[in-house]
Amino acid sequence: MMPDRTRLASLRPHERLRLAALLGVLAVAAVSLTPAALAQDDPAPDQTDILRANPYDRITLVDATVVLVDPVSPRPLPVVDPVKEREKQRRRRDRTELLLEGNIIPGKETKLDNGEEEPPDPALEKIRIHTLKAGEGEVRDFEVKRSDIKKVDYFEDILLAESERYVLAHDFPRAFECCLWVRSRDPRWPGLEDHVNQVLYAEGSRALIDGDAERGQRLLRELLVRKPDYPGLLDVLGDAYAKRINRAIELGMYMKGRRILGELESFAHEATVVKDMRRRFLGRANEAIRAGEGKDEISQLDASTEALRIWPSLDGVEPRYKDLFAKQPTLEVAVTDVPDPLGPFIHSPADARSSRLLYLPLLEADDEPARQGKRQRQLAASIETTDLGRRMLIKVKPGVPWSDGTRSVSAVDLARDLTDRTDPNSPRYIARWGELLDRVEATDELRLEVRLNRPPLRSGPWFLGPVAAAHAGVDGREASSNPNRPWVCDGMYLAARAAADRVELRARNPRGGIRRIIEIRQNGPAAGLAALRRGDVSLLEHVPPDQAPSLSREPGIKVGAYARPTIHMIAIDGRNPKLRSRALRRGISYAIDRKGLLEDFILKHPIDDQNRPADGPFPAGSYADAPKVKPLDYHPMLAKMLVAAARRELGGDLIRLKLEYPPRAEARTVVIRLAKACQDAGFSLDLVEVPESRLESELRAGRRFELAYRALQVEEPVTDAGPLIIPGYDAPSQTDAIGSAASPRILQLLLALERTVDWPSARGLATQIDRESRDELPVIPLWQIQDHYAWRDRLTGPSLTADRLYDGIENWQIAPWIARDPEPAK
């Protein structure tokens, strides 16, 4: 069927010319062809997002017409050599020319029989195409001569070109997606591997510029495996590794730096940058050795230890280190916080941990053997009580020397210490003791008489704390003008150095055991775990609850548990009028999903008897834990209603509170979620992280606050109740710390407990405080957790259960140990 004449006559002249040219190129038997079928302005696929378009090819004809077609086959088309094609056409013309004398001449070979022509390759002659779109009823299938095709842009090449554009725009995921699509169509497509390499190089280099060194190096290492001779690759990788190594060295993370250097050596062991980095490690290690030359054994040991941490295979250092370590066995401990300041007082958990090593208490324990002087680590030889407990005669053990060598502990020291506890200007002040003490008199050098204003319920707890030297300053240091005044101690250890992040204690007895203890404050829980795993420390004071099970399974590490659970709570300052609102306190409590937070974020396993939500200030299972107390519920809708009621009660203003918290693993994990829960309840919570020693010291000194996250162990509920519920319970009266009690009813019960003289009444009051705290909410109980500590097996002596971290330290032993780099995988 031919095009009708009427239609052809209606075409414009230039359309007739195009149609005439196309009719010579495109032909299918018995089809009707229109100019619109192959026009350049045909509807095209969506090219704004090539990754969502259906596959197509773009054909450009010799007359510059562009046609979008379904992918042609074969792919790619065989290459047409123009020279050979012209020669074949010339030969074809010669064969078909008629001679004047005719085609057949007797005795001569005809041109038609002159040689055999190669059979034509259909793919080199013509291809079939299927246009993407055409008019209604129009034909879309055509045959095109190869000689009339100027070029073919295959869909794979279009994708690779788009990949280059995405690379320039730094949209590397889409650039890779383009390459992946090409690979899915034909893994061997020409140019695909080069484009993948280009994307890897561009993205890796960009990641290095943006500061994501690990990701950048990972991408460039992948490129190195694919094409080791990629131009400039080794130089870029070497510079990136050098920056990471230098950064690790500056931060003191030498093991990580050596690991990075090992990765660099694995593919560029002869590179100059490798030699430079090795020289830097060795230079730093030799500097450490030189820093200890000509100094005492402890300084030399520290220098050798530091040098081996930098470069464990440093020649000739290991034997010297082992010899020095045998003389000065050193225990390095990773702790949440260090005492700040260090002295003969207990203002924080860190103070309680270290003071027992530095100072002897009057009584080691509140029991009869201690009162009879049968316990070794105490100052009292005996304590006799008369006048219904209002008068005590204390005899001091003779021959207990102070560390400065001036004299031995005497009754004067005890008298001074007990008196200082009644002075509001002294750092050892205890308000309850100030009300209880009548007078103290040293009858001779080793005897002391103490008179009280009233019979105490139990006098023993007042004598469990450290005793300071009378001739020392209020801070426990030597009273002199020396800027480096030493501490005056009488315990197993003496304080050698104290800084914001490190405390060093040295044994007074040079025989055996642990000669030195170095406590190092870690910048977060993860840092402490990493230090223990690397071997930088041998003892970890606090293991995050979710890490204890897995840590106990690691080779070379043991995990122990503290005997008493730790109570986590939010302390409330009732001096803030907003927090005196019982509705607001209840709203805060109902907004907290205790069980969910504990299981999902802190423990990461179901709750159990040792780890459970708290319903009051005292741990479950203690005599002060009230029975049959309903657990504190999680009720977000009721929390919203109570907060709204509190706002109306307070005048309708937006409620905004500040929560201060220590850098403990549990606190850091949940405070953001607590703030979100409070926001959902209708008020704002600002979060402020404060070092634990500073936070507890300031709270116990009566400093004003709003909300404070606290984690404490309860040794004796009756004596600990007041400071547990009111942080500044023993602070000077001018701070108005007692006014911070959010509940007048609970304050009334606490004061009654202080005046109780018989044990059954005291137990009953403690139980009543626990029961009524559920509704009064003087604090917001959160949960109780069994804390853990961990140590490396080169340390022997710690038990699997202990009341305190350093229990039995006099029997501990530690062996020298060097953290070796792991052998590279073969």
Side-chain angles (χ1 to χ4, degrees):
M1 180 177 179
M2 297 294 293
D4 62 270
R5 297 177 181 274
T6 304
R7 187 171 183 182
L8 289 174
S10 65
L11 295 177
R12 297 176 182 177
H14 73 277
E15 292 176 331
R16 293 181 184 180
L17 292 174
R18 174 182 289 182
L19 179 60
L22 293 176
L23 285 174
V25 190
L26 310 173
V28 174
V31 295
S32 176
L33 181 63
T34 65
L38 296 175
Q40 188 173 0
D41 57 351
D42 279 351
D46 181 14
Q47 300 183 55
T48 59
D49 188 354
I50 189 69
L51 296 172
R52 295 186 179 182
N54 291 324
Y56 66 92
D57 288 343
R58 187 168 53 229
I59 297 178
T60 303
L61 304 177
V62 292
D63 66 345
T65 300
V66 178
V67 185
L68 302 181
V69 300
D70 281 344
V72 299
S73 180
R75 307 180 65 78
L77 293 172
V79 178
V80 176
D81 187 342
V83 176
K84 290 184 177 180
E85 185 65 22
R86 285 194 297 270
E87 178 64 20
K88 291 171 68 174
Q89 291 179 1
R90 186 188 63 76
R91 291 174 59 191
R92 192 177 296 115
R93 283 196 308 271
D94 292 346
R95 289 170 56 82
T96 56
E97 283 184 356
L98 296 176
L99 301 176
L100 294 176
E101 62 273 23
N103 286 329
I104 302 175
I105 300 175
K108 291 186 177 181
E109 182 181 357
T110 66
K111 290 186 177 183
L112 295 177
D113 297 330
N114 187 14
E116 295 184 359
E117 185 178 0
E118 297 179 2
D121 184 352
L124 293 174
E125 294 289 329
K126 300 177 182 179
I127 62 170
R128 289 183 177 273
I129 63 172
H130 181 80
T131 59
L132 292 183
K133 288 189 178 180
E136 183 177 357
E138 294 182 350
V139 177
R140 299 172 62 185
D141 295 310
F142 304 97
E143 280 188 350
V144 183
K145 290 183 179 180
R146 289 290 307 277
S147 59
D148 292 311
I149 295 177
K150 185 176 182 180
K151 71 171 181 176
V152 178
D153 295 320
Y154 300 101
F155 187 64
E156 290 81 355
D157 291 330
I158 295 173
L159 283 170
L160 295 179
E162 193 70 5
S163 171
E164 293 181 5
R165 188 180 72 81
Y166 282 135
V167 167
L168 294 176
H170 298 161
D171 190 352
F172 302 110
R174 296 175 73 83
F176 267 117
E177 195 171 347
C178 289
C179 295
L180 288 175
W181 197 352
V182 175
R183 176 167 291 176
S184 68
R185 293 179 59 82
D186 187 349
R188 294 178 293 179
W189 186 262
L192 171 61
E193 294 303 312
D194 290 340
H195 278 79
V196 173
N197 294 341
Q198 178 186 357
V199 177
L200 284 171
Y201 184 80
E203 183 175 5
S205 301
R206 187 66 197 180
L208 295 177
I209 294 174
D210 293 341
D212 192 352
E214 292 193 12
R215 177 168 158 269
Q217 290 173 16
R218 176 178 55 79
L219 292 169
L220 294 178
R221 285 199 306 270
E222 182 178 344
L223 174 58
L224 185 69
V225 173
R226 295 169 53 87
K227 191 174 179 60
D229 58 346
Y230 193 91
L233 176 60
L234 284 179
D235 293 337
V236 173
L237 265 176
D239 291 343
Y241 271 87
K243 289 179 181 178
R244 288 184 65 197
I245 294 169
N246 285 325
R247 177 66 174 166
I249 291 175
E250 294 302 323
L251 294 176
M253 303 173 67
Y254 302 114
M255 179 176 284
K256 181 178 180 180
R258 296 194 304 271
R259 178 179 58 79
I260 299 171
L261 177 59
E263 293 178 7
L264 179 59
E265 288 179 322
S266 66
F267 59 83
H269 60 279
E270 294 296 334
T272 302
V273 65
V274 172
K275 299 176 183 177
D276 291 342
M277 291 299 101
R278 290 178 67 90
R279 280 195 295 267
R280 177 151 195 215
F281 273 109
L282 291 170
R284 180 67 68 93
N286 286 318
E287 284 179 10
I289 292 295
R290 288 193 294 270
E293 291 178 353
K295 297 184 179 179
D296 58 29
E297 289 184 343
I298 290 179
S299 298
Q300 293 180 41
L301 173 60
D302 290 342
S304 300
T305 303
E306 183 68 8
L308 291 174
R309 281 178 178 166
I310 297 171
W311 200 254
S313 58
L314 192 63
D315 291 341
V317 177
E318 183 175 346
R320 177 62 174 160
Y321 159 75
K322 291 182 177 180
D323 180 59
L324 292 168
F325 193 93
K327 298 177 181 179
Q328 297 288 341
T330 301
L331 172 64
E332 292 176 295
V333 188
V335 297
T336 304
D337 203 3
V338 296
D340 183 24
L342 181 66
F345 30 71
I346 298 178
H347 297 159
S348 67
D351 292 339
R353 182 183 65 242
S354 61
S355 66
R356 296 180 178 276
L357 300 175
L358 298 173
Y359 302 96
L360 292 177
L362 189 58
L363 293 178
E364 186 177 352
D366 184 17
D367 56 19
E368 194 58 30
R371 292 177 180 274
Q372 296 174 3
K374 295 180 180 180
R375 293 190 177 271
Q376 294 182 350
R377 299 190 61 207
Q378 66 177 38
L379 295 175
S382 65
I383 296 181
E384 298 178 9
T385 303
T386 61
D387 197 11
L388 298 178
R390 295 177 58 184
R391 178 172 177 265
M392 286 177 285
L393 300 175
I394 302 174
K395 184 178 180 180
V396 181
K397 288 182 179 180
V400 180
W402 290 109
S403 59
D404 60 356
T406 55
R407 59 185 182 85
S408 298
V409 178
S410 66
V412 175
D413 298 305
L414 294 181
R416 162 75 183 279
D417 185 82
L418 296 176
T419 304
D420 279 353
R421 298 182 192 182
T422 66
D423 181 5
N425 298 316
S426 170
R428 296 194 287 274
Y429 177 72
I430 302 174
R432 288 177 293 169
W433 177 253
E435 295 177 359
L436 184 62
L437 182 65
D438 178 19
R439 67 177 184 270
V440 177
E441 181 181 356
T443 57
D444 63 29
E445 186 177 357
L446 297 177
R447 285 179 171 79
L448 185 74
E449 180 180 351
V450 178
R451 290 188 176 271
L452 307 178
N453 290 318
R454 54 181 171 79
L457 177 65
R458 297 179 66 173
S459 60
W462 297 114
F463 303 140
L464 299 178
V467 174
H471 61 282
V474 293
D475 57 357
R477 292 173 179 255
E478 183 182 274
S480 69
S481 58
N482 182 3
N484 298 318
R485 297 178 298 132
W487 286 267
V488 182
C489 309
D490 60 350
M492 291 178 59
Y493 291 82
L494 56 86
R497 280 183 291 180
D501 60 349
R502 180 182 293 252
V503 167
E504 180 181 340
L505 312 180
R506 296 181 184 176
R508 298 180 63 188
N509 186 348
R511 293 177 300 177
I514 306 296
R515 295 292 307 279
R516 286 202 306 162
I517 299 174
I518 301 176
E519 291 190 344
I520 306 168
R521 181 169 64 86
Q522 302 298 311
N523 186 22
L529 285 169
L532 181 71
R533 289 185 169 115
R534 289 193 306 267
D536 290 349
V537 299
S538 299
L539 179 62
L540 178 61
E541 171 233 356
H542 177 65
V543 179
D546 62 316
Q547 296 294 319
S550 61
L551 192 65
S552 64
R553 294 190 293 270
E554 293 189 18
I557 295 178
K558 297 181 179 180
V559 177
Y562 291 99
R564 285 184 290 268
T566 299
I567 296 293
H568 294 245
M569 65 182 69
I570 297 177
I572 296 173
D573 192 343
R575 290 168 290 190
N576 185 326
K578 297 176 184 177
L579 292 168
R580 295 190 74 86
S581 168
R582 185 166 171 266
L584 178 59
R585 300 198 304 273
R586 294 182 65 204
I588 297 173
S589 179
Y590 278 120
I592 300 174
D593 181 10
R594 292 169 175 80
K595 183 174 181 292
L597 291 174
L598 183 60
E599 289 186 334
D600 296 342
F601 301 103
I602 296 178
L603 300 177
K604 296 184 180 178
H605 63 73
I607 61 174
D608 50 44
D609 291 340
Q610 289 76 33
N611 305 278
R612 54 194 290 181
D615 58 10
F618 303 120
S622 72
Y623 65 80
D625 180 34
K628 300 181 181 179
V629 173
K630 293 176 60 179
L632 294 165
D633 298 327
Y634 169 56
H635 202 309
M637 186 57 66
L638 184 55
K640 284 186 177 182
M641 297 169 60
L642 288 167
V643 171
R647 286 186 62 179
R648 289 193 299 270
E649 177 186 333
L650 296 170
D653 294 335
L654 178 66
I655 298 175
R656 192 180 194 93
L657 300 172
K658 180 172 71 173
L659 172 62
E660 300 174 73
Y661 65 95
R664 293 177 63 97
E666 302 89 336
R668 282 185 169 180
T669 300
V670 301
V671 288
I672 295 178
R673 294 168 178 87
L674 291 177
K676 178 63 169 60
C678 293
Q679 183 180 6
D680 294 341
F683 69 97
S684 299
L685 197 62
D686 298 329
L687 305 175
V688 179
E689 184 173 288
V690 184
E692 186 173 39
S693 290
R694 180 158 67 87
L695 177 61
E696 282 295 328
S697 298
E698 292 176 355
L699 293 180
R700 298 184 192 193
R703 191 253 292 176
R704 289 180 177 269
F705 65 101
E706 290 181 347
L707 301 173
Y709 190 111
R710 306 181 74 198
L712 303 170
Q713 290 185 356
V714 181
E715 295 187 20
E716 175 51 67
V718 169
T719 55
D720 292 345
L724 190 67
I725 295 173
I726 304 174
Y729 196 68
D730 284 318
S733 58
Q734 60 264 29
T735 63
D736 189 28
I738 292 296
S740 67
S743 167
R745 171 58 179 165
I746 296 300
L747 177 59
Q748 179 186 10
L749 292 174
L750 288 173
L751 295 177
L753 181 61
E754 288 300 318
R755 298 282 177 176
T756 304
V757 295
D758 64 282
W759 191 246
S761 299
R763 291 171 65 102
L765 281 171
T767 305
Q768 188 174 356
I769 290 171
D770 186 76
R771 180 181 293 108
E772 295 194 24
S773 291
R774 187 202 179 279
D775 294 325
E776 290 292 327
L777 293 172
V779 296
I780 306 296
L782 296 176
W783 34 73
Q784 71 174 49
I785 298 174
Q786 184 178 44
D787 282 342
H788 295 81
Y789 51 93
W791 69 96
R792 297 198 68 91
D793 56 7
R794 67 176 180 134
L795 174 66
T796 58
S799 60
L800 295 177
T801 304
D803 290 333
R804 302 175 184 86
L805 181 65
Y806 295 122
D807 281 358
I809 192 172
E810 61 272 14
N811 299 317
W812 292 7
Q813 300 289 334
I814 189 168
W817 185 79
I818 302 166
R820 304 287 186 185
D821 293 334
E823 293 292 333
K826 296 182 179 179

